[in-house]
C-alpha cells in the first residue's frame, strides 16, 4: 500500500462512521498530513453540519503547518454554497498546497468544479486514490445521482427448504424464521437506509411497524404498495408515527405531512414507476423487505443493487416459495443460528 493509499484508507474509515446520518449528503472523511504525520482529521457527521475538510482543518492546532501540508479527502471538495460554504474555498484560503482526492463527486453541482477551482488557485491535485473503494463507500449517493433512482437493497428470510412464509397466517403475527440476533441486525440496517418498502399482502398479514426499535438511529421512511387501498386504516403503516408514502393507483387527496399518497400506473414498468416516486422524494436508498410478490417484481425487473438473504433453521415443507436469484452469493456469514448470504447485481 502506497503512502497516498494509506492516508486515503484512513479517510474512508472516518467517513463510514456517519453511515445513515448524512443524507442527502455523501459520507466523506479527510486527513491532513505534514512530514508524513497526521496533524488533523475529520468527517462529515450529519447533514447541515460542517463538512469533513472543515472539521479536519479545524482540528489542526498549529494552522501555520497547513501551508506545507497535504489534505486528503475521500470525495471531491464541494465548490458551491449549500447549507455550508464551499470546502474548496476554505482549502484555498488556508493555502494548503496539495490535495489528494479519492473520487469525483457525481452531483452535477460539483462534478469537476471543485477540482478546477483548486487547480486555478495553484493547488496541486491528485485524483483517483482508492477510487473504487471511495465510490463503493457512497454507493447510495452515486446510484441516486447517476441513475436517478435510489440504491435498492432486497432483504428476506427463508427456511432451510426454501419458503418465506406459510400459506395461512394469523393477521398481525409475523412468521419468524431467524434468530433475535438477525432481527437486531435488520434494525441496524434500517437505521442505515432512507426508506423501507413492503407490499400489500405483507402489510395486511403482518401489520408491521417498519420502524427502528432494536437499534439506535433514525427510522426509515415507510413506503407501502397499496394498489387498491385495501390495507385497513387501523394498521400501523397508517398510524402517522413515521413518514409514510403509500403508492396506489387510486386517487386520494388526503395526503398530510407524514402520510403521502402517490398515484402510479401499475400496468407496465411498475418497479420503475415506484423508484421514480422515491427519487422525486429525494430518497437515496430503500430496503425492500417483502413479501415474495414484491421482491420477485424487483428481481424480474432487474432493478436492484444488492440482496441480503437469511436462511434460518426452521423447515416448513410447504408454503410461499422464497424468491430466487440466479447467481451465487458474493459472500456468506453466520449470524447466530442463521446463514446470511449477500448478492450483488453487478
Amino acid at each position: 500500500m502506497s503512502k497516498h493509499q494509506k492516508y486515503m484508507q484512513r479517510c474512508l474509515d472516518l467517513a463510514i462512521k456517519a453511515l445513515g446520518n448524512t443524507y442527502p449528503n455523501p459520507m466523506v472523511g479527510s486527513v491532513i498530513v505534514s512530514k508524513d504525520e497526521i496533524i488533523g482529521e475529520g468527517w462529515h457527521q450529519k447533514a447541515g453540519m460542517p463538512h469533513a475538510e472543515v472539521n479536519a482543518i479545524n482540528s489542526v492546532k498549529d494552522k501555520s503547518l497547513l501551508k506545507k501540508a497535504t489534505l486528503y479527502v475521500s470525495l471531491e471538495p464541494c465548490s458551491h454554497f449549500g447549507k455550508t460554504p464551499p470546502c474548496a474555498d476554505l482549502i484555498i484560503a488556508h493555502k494548503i498546497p496539495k490535495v489528494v482526492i479519492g473520487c469525483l463527486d457525481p452531483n452535477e453541482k460539483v462534478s469537476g468544479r471543485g477540482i478546477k477551482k483548486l487547480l486555478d488557485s495553484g493547488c496541486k491535485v491528485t485524483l483517483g486514490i482508492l477510487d473504487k473503494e471511495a465510490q463503493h463507500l457512497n454507493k447510495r449517493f452515486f446510484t441516486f445521482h447517476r441513475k436517478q433512482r435510489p440504491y435498492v437493497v432486497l432483504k428476506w428470510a427463508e427456511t432451510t427448504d426454501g419458503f418465506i412464509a406459510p400459506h395461512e397466517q394469523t393477521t398481525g403475527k409475523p412468521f419468524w424464521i431467524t434468530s433475535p440476533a438477525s432481527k437486531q441486525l435488520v434494525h441496524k440496517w434500517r437505521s442505515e437506509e432512507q426508506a423501507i418498502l413492503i407490499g400489500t399482502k405483507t402489510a395486511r398479514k403482518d401489520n408491521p411497524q417498519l420502524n427502528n426499535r432494536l437499534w439506535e438511529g433514525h427510522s426509515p421512511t415507510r413506503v407501502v404498495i397499496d394498489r387498491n387501498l385495501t390495507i385497513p386504516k387501523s394498521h400501523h403503516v397508517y398510524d402517522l408515527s413515521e413518514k409514510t408514502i403509500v403508492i396506489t393507483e387510486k386517487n386520494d387527496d388526503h395526503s398530510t405531512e407524514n402520510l403521502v399518497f402517490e398515484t402510479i400506473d401499475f400496468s407496465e414498468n411498475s418497479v420503475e414507476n415506484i423508484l421514480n416516486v422515491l427519487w422525486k422524494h429525494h430518497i437515496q436508498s430503500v430496503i425492500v423487505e417483502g413479501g415474495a410478490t414484491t421482491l420477485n417484481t424487483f428481481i424480474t425487473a432487474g432493478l436492484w443493487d444488492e440482496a441480503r438473504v437469511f436462511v434460518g433453521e426452521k423447515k416448513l415443507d410447504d408454503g410461499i416459495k422464497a424468491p430466487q436469484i440466479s447467481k451465487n452469493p458474493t459472500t456468506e456469514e453466520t449470524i447466530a443460528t442463521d446463514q446470511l448470504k449477500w448478492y450483488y447485481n453487478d
Side-chain angles (χ1 to χ4, degrees):
M1 179 179 285
S2 71
K3 180 175 69 174
H4 281 346
Q5 289 174 332
K6 178 179 74 170
Y7 292 128
M8 189 58 66
Q9 185 58 56
R10 178 59 181 163
C11 291
L12 298 176
D13 293 342
L14 290 169
I16 195 67
K17 291 174 178 283
L19 178 59
N21 294 322
T22 63
Y23 297 118
N25 299 339
M27 294 174 283
V28 184
S30 179
V31 300
I32 300 173
V33 177
S34 177
K35 295 180 180 178
D36 207 22
E37 180 182 342
I38 293 177
I39 60 171
E41 60 182 30
W43 67 95
H44 182 42
Q45 298 177 16
K46 192 175 182 180
M49 295 179 67
H51 289 186
E53 301 95 317
V54 177
N55 288 328
I57 290 171
N58 287 343
S59 73
V60 176
K61 293 180 180 178
D62 184 356
K63 296 294 192 291
S64 68
L65 295 174
L66 292 172
K67 293 180 181 179
K68 294 183 179 180
T70 300
L71 182 143
Y72 290 80
V73 62
S74 57
L75 188 72
E76 176 185 5
C78 62
S79 56
H80 65 292
F81 283 87
K83 291 184 178 179
T84 59
C87 291
D89 289 358
L90 184 67
I91 294 169
I92 294 167
H94 282 281
K95 298 181 179 178
I96 299 173
K98 297 178 182 178
V99 177
V100 180
I101 301 169
C103 62
L104 280 172
D105 190 327
N107 186 345
E108 61 181 14
K109 292 180 180 179
V110 183
S111 197
R113 292 180 176 87
I115 290 176
K116 184 179 185 304
K117 185 174 279 194
L118 292 172
L119 290 172
D120 288 347
S121 75
C123 182
K124 182 181 178 182
V125 177
T126 302
L127 174 66
I129 304 300
L130 299 186
D131 180 273
K132 184 178 179 181
E133 292 84 348
Q135 290 193 46
H136 180 74
L137 170 76
N138 281 304
K139 55 192 177 184
R140 300 159 180 86
F141 184 76
F142 273 77
T143 298
F144 182 81
H145 284 283
R146 285 180 171 171
K147 299 183 178 180
Q148 281 74 57
R149 67 164 175 83
Y151 186 86
V152 178
V153 179
L154 308 181
K155 173 256 144 184
W156 72 86
E158 61 184 59
T159 60
T160 54
D161 51 353
F163 296 101
I164 198 170
H167 285 300
E168 299 299 326
Q169 184 179 325
T170 304
T171 299
K173 291 187 176 181
F175 175 72
W176 292 110
I177 293 173
T178 55
S179 65
S182 294
K183 185 178 179 182
Q184 186 180 44
L185 177 59
V186 169
H187 281 242
K188 177 179 181 291
W189 292 344
R190 289 180 180 181
S191 74
E192 297 169 355
E193 311 304 337
Q194 269 194 287
I196 181 170
L197 183 148
I198 60 169
T200 308
K201 291 178 183 177
T202 299
R204 288 176 63 90
K205 284 185 177 181
D206 293 353
N207 189 18
Q209 297 179 60
L210 300 182
N211 58 15
N212 186 22
R213 305 180 300 281
L214 303 178
W215 198 265
E216 291 184 359
H218 72 92
S219 291
T221 296
R222 302 183 295 199
V223 182
V224 184
I225 300 172
D226 193 4
R227 182 172 181 174
N228 296 305
L229 296 179
T230 59
I231 299 171
K233 293 299 187 288
S234 59
H235 274 36
H236 290 306
V237 293
Y238 282 114
D239 64 12
L240 302 180
S241 63
E242 305 292 343
K243 181 177 179 180
T244 303
I245 300 171
V246 180
I247 298 178
T248 178
E249 66 179 8
K250 302 283 186 181
N251 289 323
D252 194 300
D253 58 359
H254 295 95
S255 292
T256 64
E257 184 178 353
N258 248 26
L259 181 61
V260 180
F261 291 87
E262 291 282 3
T263 305
I264 69 165
D265 180 5
F266 281 87
S267 63
E268 58 180 350
N269 303 321
S270 61
V271 174
E272 187 174 329
N273 293 335
I274 290 167
L275 295 180
N276 284 340
V277 166
L278 302 190
W279 186 74
K280 185 182 79 172
H281 281 269
H282 307 290
I283 291 173
Q284 289 186 12
S285 67
V286 58
I287 184 165
V288 182
E289 288 205 8
T293 300
T294 301
L295 288 161
N296 278 320
T297 303
F298 275 83
I299 293 170
T300 301
L303 288 170
W304 61 280
D305 297 288
E306 64 180 82
R308 305 168 186 177
V309 182
F310 290 98
V311 181
E313 288 189 314
K314 290 184 178 179
K315 192 176 180 181
L316 265 180
D317 294 322
D318 191 23
I320 299 170
K321 277 284 187 182
Q324 290 188 327
I325 293 175
S326 58
K327 60 169 60 183
N328 294 324
T330 304
T331 59
E332 295 186 45
E333 60 182 297
T334 301
I335 308 294
T337 57
D338 309 317
Q339 288 299 117
L340 173 57
K341 301 179 180 181
W342 297 71
Y343 299 83
Y344 289 92
N345 191 21
D346 298 321

